[in-house]
């Protein structure tokens, strides 16, 4: 899990997760008030763990003839990807 570059305090999973859904809002360290922004490669990681698997399954790999089942599984894939992404992204101290 990501930690502050200045004081090594860990960011919580929920802080990082909320940052995704607030247009990649910078995270402020609770210990030293340093602001960290998500890196561009990390934005790509988030998209590759959420949107791309969902669309790939929905358009190309779906074995179901029922659209609702396909949509449900695609949304499930999206949720799982978004829950795993905070473990893989990195934030850098903003200047």
């Amino acid at each position: 899990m990501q930690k502050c570059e200045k004081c090594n305090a860990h960011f919580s999973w929920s802080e990082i997760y909320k940052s995704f859904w607030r247009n990649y809002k910078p995270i402020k360290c609770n210990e030293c008030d340093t602001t960290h922004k998500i890196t561009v490669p990390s934005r790509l990681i988030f998209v590759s763990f959420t949107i791309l698997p969902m669309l790939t399954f929905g358009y190309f790999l779906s074995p179901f003839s029922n659209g609702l089942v396909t949509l449900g599984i695609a949304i499930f894939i999206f949720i799982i990807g978004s829950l795993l992404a905070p473990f893989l992204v990195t934030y850098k101290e903003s200047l």
Side-chain angles (χ1 to χ4, degrees):
M1 191 66 73
Q2 178 76 35
K3 53 186 170 177
C4 178
E5 291 182 347
K6 198 172 196 179
C7 69
N8 289 327
H10 286 277
F11 297 134
S12 71
W13 178 89
S14 61
E15 285 177 309
I16 297 171
Y17 192 74
K18 288 176 189 175
S19 170
F20 292 149
W21 301 112
R22 293 183 180 149
N23 200 20
Y24 301 113
K25 182 181 174 189
I27 296 176
K28 195 172 197 179
C29 178
N30 293 331
E31 302 294 325
C32 65
D33 289 333
T34 304
T35 304
H36 293 75
K37 289 186 176 182
I38 191 168
T39 61
V40 173
S42 291
R43 289 181 184 206
L44 295 174
I45 288 171
F46 179 69
V47 169
S48 67
F49 265 74
T50 56
I51 305 297
L52 292 179
M54 179 184 72
L55 292 176
T56 302
F57 176 80
Y59 286 123
F60 304 113
L61 302 176
S62 176
F64 307 107
S65 59
N66 187 338
L68 236 58
V69 173
T70 300
L71 181 63
I73 293 175
I75 290 172
F76 177 73
I77 291 170
F78 175 81
I79 291 169
I80 295 300
S82 72
L83 293 174
L84 293 175
F87 294 106
L88 303 170
V89 297
T90 56
Y91 284 77
K92 294 290 180 189
E93 183 178 346
S94 62
L95 303 172

